[in-house]
Amino acid sequence: MIGHQLALIRREIWEHRSIYVTPIAIAVIVSLVSLAGMVTVSAFDKEVNMALFGASNIAGDAERRVALTVFFLGTSWVFLFALAILTTFYTLDCLYAERKDKSILFWRSLPITDAETVVSKLLTAIFVLPLVTVAAIIVTHLVNLVITTAWVAIKGGNAAHLIWGSVPLFDSWAAALIVTVASAVWLSPLIGWFLFVSAFTKRSPLLMAFMPLIIIPIIEWIFFRSKLFASAVFGRGEMIPLFREMDIEHFFDEERMKVNEEAVSLLAHIDIGKFLLSPSVWAGIVVCGLFATAAIYVRRYRDDS
Amino acid sequence: MSSLVTARGVSKRFGKVCAVDNVSFDIEKGRIMGLIGPNGAGKTTLLKAVLGLTDCEGDLSVLGLDPFRQRKELMQDICFIADVAVLPRWIRVSQLLEFVESTHPNFSREKAEALLGKTKVNTRRDSRVRELSKGMVTQLHLAIIAAIDARLLVLDEPTLGLDIIFRKEFYANLLSDYFDEERTILVTTHQVEEIENILTDIMFINEGRIILDASMDSLVQDYVELLTSGDNADQARGIGPIAERDVFGKRVMLFEKPDRERLETLGELHTPSVADLFVAKVKGAAA
């Protein structure tokens, strides 16, 4: 069973090379952009003593940590945004492409159940894609730290102290891992819906997946003058019950940054217990399970001939 | 003899259309059964039912299992090639072998490698399926199938779109690499003349019904073709041929359960080809 899952997940990575090509491409772009940024800054200001991070004109260690964390957070968001797009396209394609090219007949000629197959695609979407993304985030951070170290050293700065001494590596990476996987679990109802659409639609899964998401709110508004569906679906992205009461967008608040070193920690803002105990999380998982079950049912019972 | 496939009153409806209509048959171990029928006769639907890909009415047992409800168990002992195009086009040859090895308990990687070693695919292990020719894809698929220790092999138009050389080679390899008395093959094809010499049994299906189910040995006994002309033709016609056609000005009549001694006095007797018999049976069923 586990052996099958590993083989099936490996097959997903073989088939959908974008799972690793996209994060690698973004890692390269982010690194090039930050390199170009440093070169540009150097060209215009011979007296530079401020870098994107590790800048020597930032006074204390806490402030430097904040600067580095902001940079880390910024690059991580680029990856998360790409992950959302990647997951959408992957889940819409994974049960559709095999029917389109008829390879489903080959896959079904092997002693693997439809449930095992659909579960492997679900696990790929919820865990493998986020994990690959987090790995890319970590590599990007390291590459950028090395570039910056070289840059600071060239400028005569003490990189060991300015950067490596203050850099909140573990904190940023652990936060990236938790936020990425938790976001995938939180948005799993959408992932389940996409898998279901991918399993049943005869054409254009993208259109079939998004049309109901647009039409149902309109119908709801016309007949009931309410926005329950829209807020449940589109509002879900903002409502993730993972962060402590403080608003993450405002946590680099001037005052806090100066007074409270712990405010620099991203992990300090994450509350896993709150996430795991949230009924909305579990309701989402149930909805995802229902859609996945429907996808299994369709793959098994539908006769495409 | 042990029956590998047993069908009793099997039907499959799509809305009002009855694709398979109350069909009953048995396939014994160690046989090569040809399922022959015109387009839309219900061949593929029947095969899908046997493979557990579609549900059906009636009693259908394959290797003692309910194919639809016990498909995973069934697939350990069954292989099928639905048509040449079904291997995923994006996969590399080496990946395909690795995947089947890790998911199929009865697959022998060594045997597959040895079989591929004899084909043109041998030097293309890193190629993707889409980069291989149609013939090579079929060789690859057959090598994988032949390396699976399965009891029943189901082939649905396995050589569609291949040239004659690959088609001949496919069936030759099928016999040499795959078939033995422990294994059973169920095959459908349009090119019946190419496989009739390897079949042990034959089944004709038309409009969802089986119109002939016989061993090849019994066909030779039960059907005869008479080549005749003139008065003899009129006499022969009186005996009641199931089909009659014109070949170079002579009459060719097909008889079922013939009185050979009497027919011999009226002209030359031949064993009919499966294709001619098939045409006669289908037309007879339609009349």
Side-chain angles (χ1 to χ4, degrees):
Chain A
M1 186 72 191
I2 291 171
H4 273 194
Q5 277 306 325
L6 290 178
L8 285 165
I9 289 172
R10 197 172 45 182
R11 182 194 77 183
E12 293 307 307
I13 298 171
W14 286 339
E15 180 176 2
H16 301 271
R17 279 177 294 162
S18 56
I19 290 173
Y20 57 89
V21 171
T22 310
I24 289 174
I26 292 169
V28 170
I29 291 169
V30 167
S31 302
L32 287 178
V33 166
S34 77
L35 188 62
M38 283 176 223
V39 170
T40 311
V41 169
S42 305
F44 284 102
D45 181 1
K46 295 222 162 56
E47 302 295 308
V48 183
N49 53 9
M50 196 202 82
L52 278 171
F53 48 12
S56 51
N57 67 340
I58 293 180
D61 283 346
E63 285 72 12
R64 215 165 12 251
R65 274 174 72 93
V66 171
L68 286 163
T69 303
V70 170
F71 176 79
F72 276 4
L73 202 59
T75 51
S76 299
W77 278 120
V78 178
F79 281 97
L80 284 185
F81 181 69
L83 175 64
I85 295 172
L86 187 62
T87 307
T88 303
F89 279 94
Y90 165 72
T91 47
L92 285 174
D93 185 66
C94 65
L95 288 164
Y96 176 71
E98 63 170 14
R99 288 185 292 126
K100 210 173 161 200
D101 69 6
K102 293 196 169 177
S103 62
I104 185 172
L105 284 172
F106 172 72
W107 303 121
R108 297 192 81 200
S109 77
L110 297 168
I112 301 166
T113 61
D114 296 292
E116 282 177 309
T117 303
V118 172
V119 165
S120 76
K121 292 170 195 274
L122 192 61
L123 290 178
T124 303
I126 296 183
F127 296 106
V128 176
L129 266 66
L131 290 178
V132 171
T133 293
V134 170
I137 288 174
I138 291 174
V139 171
T140 308
H141 287 169
L142 286 176
V143 167
N144 282 276
L145 284 175
V146 168
I147 293 172
T148 314
T149 300
W151 187 79
V152 170
I154 290 168
K155 295 283 157 197
N158 180 355
H161 168 68
L162 289 179
I163 294 175
W164 298 94
S166 335
V167 69
L169 286 179
F170 172 77
D171 184 85
S172 286
W173 295 345
L177 178 66
I178 294 167
V179 171
T180 312
V181 175
S183 302
V185 172
W186 175 243
L187 294 173
S188 63
L190 269 182
I191 290 176
W193 162 246
F194 289 160
L195 279 178
F196 173 61
V197 170
S198 180
F200 92 82
T201 187
K202 283 209 190 296
R203 60 187 71 85
S204 66
L206 193 66
L207 197 66
M208 289 303 288
F210 284 97
M211 224 156 48
L213 301 186
I214 294 163
I215 290 174
I216 292 175
I218 294 175
I219 293 173
E220 186 190 328
W221 177 246
I222 290 172
F223 288 98
F224 304 103
R225 295 284 152 188
S226 62
K227 293 178 177 174
L228 293 175
F229 184 85
S231 64
V233 174
F234 298 109
R236 195 170 172 90
E238 304 161 9
M239 297 186 303
I240 183 165
L242 180 64
F243 301 106
R244 293 189 197 282
E245 287 309 305
M246 193 173 70
D247 188 348
I248 190 155
E249 284 175 17
H250 300 117
F251 94 101
F252 290 113
D253 185 287
E254 286 282 306
E255 289 168 46
R256 278 213 186 76
M257 174 164 116
K258 290 205 168 104
V259 291
N260 186 3
E261 178 148 349
E262 138 189 324
V264 180
S265 164
L266 292 179
L267 271 185
H269 296 278
I270 290 170
D271 186 346
I272 295 178
K274 181 178 165 189
F275 184 75
L276 292 178
L277 290 174
S278 161
S280 312
V281 170
W282 293 101
I285 291 173
V286 168
V287 171
C288 174
L290 291 175
F291 278 130
T293 308
I296 294 167
Y297 187 88
V298 169
R299 192 178 192 265
R300 181 174 158 90
Y301 287 85
R302 205 236 314 266
D303 192 350
D304 272 318
S305 58
Chain B
M1 281 236 265
S2 59
S3 198
L4 231 68
V5 182
T6 312
R8 293 288 174 272
V10 170
S11 297
K12 175 72 186 178
R13 274 171 245 281
F14 296 104
K16 283 185 179 173
V17 182
C18 200
V20 174
D21 187 4
N22 195 18
V23 158
S24 300
F25 62 90
D26 292 277
I27 300 175
E28 312 285 342
K29 191 172 89 173
R31 311 294 287 186
I32 303 180
M33 164 74 87
L35 180 63
I36 316 290
N39 293 329
K43 291 183 304 243
T44 300
T45 306
L46 189 56
L47 290 191
K48 283 191 164 182
V50 168
L51 294 168
L53 293 172
T54 185
D55 206 358
C56 60
E57 298 162 40
D59 291 327
L60 181 61
S61 156
V62 180
L63 308 173
L65 300 166
D66 175 334
F68 190 66
R69 271 148 207 97
Q70 295 169 288
R71 206 177 65 80
K72 185 180 176 181
E73 292 87 333
L74 187 69
M75 284 304 130
Q76 300 196 356
D77 290 308
I78 283 197
C79 283
F80 69 90
I81 300 184
D83 118 21
V84 283
V86 304
L87 286 185
R89 291 171 53 74
W90 52 266
I91 206 166
R92 293 183 196 281
V93 175
S94 53
Q95 290 174 339
L96 187 61
L97 293 172
E98 209 176 315
F99 184 78
V100 178
E101 188 182 19
S102 52
T103 53
H104 207 306
N106 296 332
F107 176 74
S108 157
R109 178 81 181 249
E110 295 76 44
K111 187 164 182 199
E113 297 281 358
L115 291 172
L116 279 182
K118 292 189 276 180
T119 69
K120 288 179 188 163
V121 187
N122 193 29
T123 55
R124 306 286 300 270
R125 299 300 167 93
D126 287 326
S127 297
R128 295 184 190 281
V129 165
R130 76 165 84 89
E131 295 157 4
L132 303 177
S133 73
K134 220 169 180 183
M136 285 157 89
V137 175
T138 311
Q139 287 179 326
L140 172 62
H141 205 159
L142 186 63
I144 288 172
I145 297 295
I148 292 173
D149 185 18
R151 290 159 67 194
L152 176 64
L153 174 61
V154 177
L155 303 169
D156 186 10
E157 298 284 357
T159 56
L160 205 65
L162 294 182
D163 65 40
I164 180 83
I165 297 182
F166 270 117
R167 294 207 298 269
K168 290 273 181 200
E169 203 179 282
F170 178 87
Y171 288 111
N173 289 346
L174 187 65
L175 287 186
S176 62
D177 300 333
Y178 180 82
F179 188 67
D180 60 42
E181 64 271 17
E182 288 302 311
R183 291 169 151 194
T184 307
I185 298 174
L186 173 59
V187 55
T188 76
T189 177
H190 280 97
Q191 279 126 354
V192 57
E193 60 284 358
E194 282 171 25
I195 61 162
E196 64 176 282
N197 52 348
I198 70 166
L199 297 179
T200 62
D201 294 84
I202 198 155
M203 204 150 67
F204 289 170
I205 182 167
N206 190 41
E207 293 174 353
R209 291 168 176 275
I210 289 174
I211 52 176
L212 179 80
D213 178 6
S215 74
M216 291 300 278
D217 297 339
S218 73
L219 281 191
V220 178
Q221 298 296 318
D222 290 350
Y223 294 91
V224 73
E225 218 169 48
L226 173 71
L227 186 64
T228 183
S229 58
D231 286 348
N232 284 350
D234 292 335
Q235 280 190 43
R237 201 170 290 125
I239 301 170
I242 59 168
E244 184 177 342
R245 65 199 156 93
D246 191 60
V247 176
F248 299 128
K250 290 204 163 195
R251 308 303 297 168
V252 179
M253 296 179 196
L254 184 64
F255 291 89
E256 189 172 352
K257 308 248 186 242
D259 178 353
R260 281 173 189 274
E261 285 178 18
R262 171 124 191 255
L263 289 178
E264 267 170 353
T265 64
L266 299 173
E268 274 180 63
L269 294 187
H270 297 283
T271 301
S273 73
V274 169
D276 288 334
L277 185 58
F278 175 69
V279 171
K281 276 285 179 183
V282 170
K283 282 188 176 165

